[in-house]
Amino acid sequence: ISISGLSKGISEKEQKILSLFSKKRITSNSEIMDLFLEKDKTKDFAVKKKNKTIASLNEKLFSVFKIEFIGKKKSKSDSRQLTYFLNKKVRIIEEGSI
């Protein structure tokens, strides 16, 4: 990721998460979870991996760009449902679409 001369390397999973946000600003938890589900691993493992990856991504990006990229909120109709949203000040464009 590069912004105004600042850059930060990110993992493949982190790239895939940001790619989801290049298509729309709000992404459901299940869409992100799909990136972490593995046949031979438990769902609990996938949830922990997803949470750790998003937290790590936010920390990396904040350390360089001084802005939190991804936030989360619970659904008003069902508090068990999470959605992730991209900060209003951030716009993600995939390299091939420029």
Side-chain angles (χ1 to χ4, degrees), residues 19-36:
S19 179
L20 292 173
F21 288 104
S22 72
K23 295 168 182 67
K24 54 185 179 178
R25 299 193 70 76
I26 297 174
T27 302
S28 71
N29 183 53
S30 61
E31 288 176 288
I32 295 175
M33 276 297 296
D34 287 344
L35 299 174
F36 294 90

Side-chain angles (χ1 to χ4, degrees), residues 34-93:
D34 287 344
L35 299 174
F36 294 90
L37 295 173
E38 297 178 33
K39 274 191 223 180
D40 57 337
K41 304 287 183 182
T42 65
K43 188 173 180 181
D44 187 50
F45 174 83
V47 169
K48 288 177 182 177
K49 189 83 168 159
K50 173 200 61 125
N51 291 342
K52 184 177 178 180
T53 302
I54 290 174
S56 172
L57 177 59
N58 260 338
E59 287 173 18
K60 284 180 188 179
L61 297 175
F62 187 83
S63 72
V64 175
F65 305 113
K66 305 299 182 218
I67 188 169
E68 188 171 330
F69 275 56
I70 301 170
K72 65 182 176 181
K73 61 183 171 184
K74 292 183 179 184
S75 169
K76 292 177 185 175
S77 60
D78 185 350
S79 63
R80 297 170 295 173
Q81 296 296 317
L82 277 179
T83 54
Y84 290 87
F85 60 92
L86 191 61
N87 186 318
K88 292 177 184 175
K89 296 178 182 178
V90 176
R91 191 175 86 181
I92 298 175
I93 301 170

Side-chain angles (χ1 to χ4, degrees), residues 9-22:
I10 58 174
S11 73
E12 185 180 336
K13 287 279 190 202
E14 292 168 335
Q15 288 176 21
K16 288 180 180 182
I17 290 170
L18 291 178
S19 179
L20 292 173
F21 288 104
S22 72

